[in-house]
Amino acid sequence: MNDSGVRDIDVVVVGAGQAGLSGAYHLRRSGLDPDRDFVVLDHAPRPGGAWQFRWPSLTYGKVHGMHALPGMELISTESDNARPSSEVIGAYFTAYERRFGLRVHRPVDVRAVREGDGGRLLVETSEGNWSARALISATGTWDRPFWPRYPGQETFRGRQLHTADYPGPGEFSGLRVVVVGGGASGTQHLMEIAEVAADTTWVTRRPPVWREGPFGEEQGRAAVALVDERVRRGLPPRSVVSVTGLPVTEATSRAREAGVLDRLPMFDRIIPDGVAWDDGRTVEADVILWATGFRPAVGHLAPLGLREPGGGIRVEGTRAVRDERVHLVGYGPSASTIGANRAGRAAVREIRELLAREPAMA
């Protein structure tokens, strides 16, 4: 700690989800000491990243594409498939932090990252300030649910909620529910709500694209490349899932046959008792559920001025083009769990080069 009460450190990792833990693992593996050389700050109350906030009906068996963290397999049993994913993955993250001695500081809110003294970054937090030579920002998207705005939204007499607040299907029993959004969360919400609701309506901006057959490495690389191209241009990233299409499963096939996944185009306005289109069609509703996704939670980086005119942060690999000290892991093309693992390793490789090149000034 220096004379101003600011603690000096080589690297600050912000976030302890898949991306943050991957970065922390590779920092330690590269020879950095978690007590002396780097620190992991997480605003969540316990291990588990955003998974700890998922709704109880999202069981582990319904999770698609969950990859193990580097260095430790995620071993599950058949009985785990019926348990909430928040429990299974939360326990795994807890064990992971303990095995590798990743003493995460939580709950800690990182309020801002700005230019510090001597070419260092000043990381301002609810636990005090840190002076760092490099930063891994691994804050994901869960804290920034996206709420579209439509005319008449404030007049709706029913309930509006977002995926981030979804409690599971039980609260929708006997109600008329409009589900907005064409992603995986929207279809999952819709299918389980349809079993208890009086009526469901699915609306999306674009017709859903259903993906049949295997989704191999070639298709995965192509999807990631589409997301990566936007980030390289300084545009806000789209999720990897948004360009892969919706997988056809036994559950979605049954729901399509039953008409549950019959989609309507996006409504034009919201009325007190439901939603309406300009062609005169209306649907009455008690609830509007916005399964409209999330945006990257990067507000803490605003003082550094990293955004491009297109609205996004341009990155090369994981490194912010406007500031080589800052790496974004779990952003854009590395937003998937396997992508976060690879990005954590790549970020640490570049950070070690930076630390070897730059003097450790306080």
Side-chain angles (χ1 to χ4, degrees), residues 9 153 155 205:
I9 201 82
Q153 199 158 3
T155 71
R205 285 194 302 148

Side-chain angles (χ1 to χ4, degrees), residues 32-55:
L32 296 184
D33 189 315
D35 289 320
R36 183 185 67 249
D37 302 319
F38 72 92
V39 65
V40 185
L41 309 176
D42 188 35
H43 85 121
R46 56 190 176 274
W51 290 101
Q52 66 192 274
F53 305 115
R54 298 295 202 271
W55 49 99

Side-chain angles (χ1 to χ4, degrees), residues 139-353:
T139 45
T141 63
W142 186 259
D143 295 324
R144 282 200 64 205
F146 175 62
W147 290 76
R149 300 301 304 171
Y150 277 84
Q153 199 158 3
E154 69 284 352
T155 71
F156 184 61
R157 288 194 285 258
R159 180 184 181 189
Q160 296 185 62
L161 71 161
H162 190 276
T163 289
D165 305 306
Y166 179 65
E171 291 193 21
F172 305 96
S173 179
L175 301 178
R176 300 162 299 178
V177 183
V178 172
V179 177
V180 183
S185 294
T187 55
Q188 288 179 6
H189 296 339
L190 183 66
M191 288 188 293
E192 59 183 28
I193 290 172
E195 297 182 3
V196 299
D199 187 49
T200 58
T201 302
W202 187 30
V203 297
T204 68
R205 285 194 302 148
R206 291 180 294 270
V209 176
W210 296 99
R211 186 188 77 237
E212 298 195 54
F215 189 77
E217 287 189 15
E218 182 178 346
Q219 294 91 338
R221 284 195 296 269
V224 169
L226 290 173
V227 180
D228 185 51
E229 191 269 338
R230 286 182 59 86
V231 170
R232 286 178 180 272
R233 289 164 53 200
L235 298 173
R238 294 176 63 188
S239 68
V240 174
V241 173
S242 71
V243 296
T244 62
L246 295 165
V248 175
T249 65
E250 289 186 16
T252 58
S253 295
R254 288 194 302 269
R256 291 171 75 184
E257 291 173 5
V260 172
L261 293 176
D262 289 345
R263 165 260 181 193
L264 292 177
M266 197 64 204
F267 48 76
D268 296 297
R269 63 190 180 279
I270 298 173
I271 56 179
D273 296 322
V275 296
W277 288 258
D278 287 344
D279 63 7
R281 176 172 40 185
T282 63
V283 168
E284 294 184 347
D286 304 299
V287 179
I288 300 174
L289 173 56
W290 298 92
T292 43
F294 300 78
R295 299 292 183 264
V298 292
H300 56 293
L301 301 177
L304 295 176
L306 304 181
R307 287 193 185 274
E308 300 292 333
I313 298 176
R314 189 156 62 98
V315 300
E316 290 288 344
T318 63
R319 173 176 44 81
V321 171
R322 290 178 178 262
D323 194 326
E324 66 174 349
R325 300 167 297 179
V326 178
H327 286 258
L328 288 88
V329 180
Y331 177 85
S334 65
S336 65
T337 55
I338 191 170
N341 286 354
R342 294 169 176 167
R345 181 174 62 247
V348 169
R349 186 183 308 118
E350 289 199 34
I351 286 172
R352 287 310 308 259
E353 293 174 359

Side-chain angles (χ1 to χ4, degrees), residues 13 15-26 40 69-70 93 96-97 102 104:
V13 180
Q18 186 99 12
L21 291 181
S22 171
Y25 167 86
H26 287 291
V40 185
L69 285 157
F93 279 26
Y96 189 87
E97 291 179 16
L102 305 176
V104 179

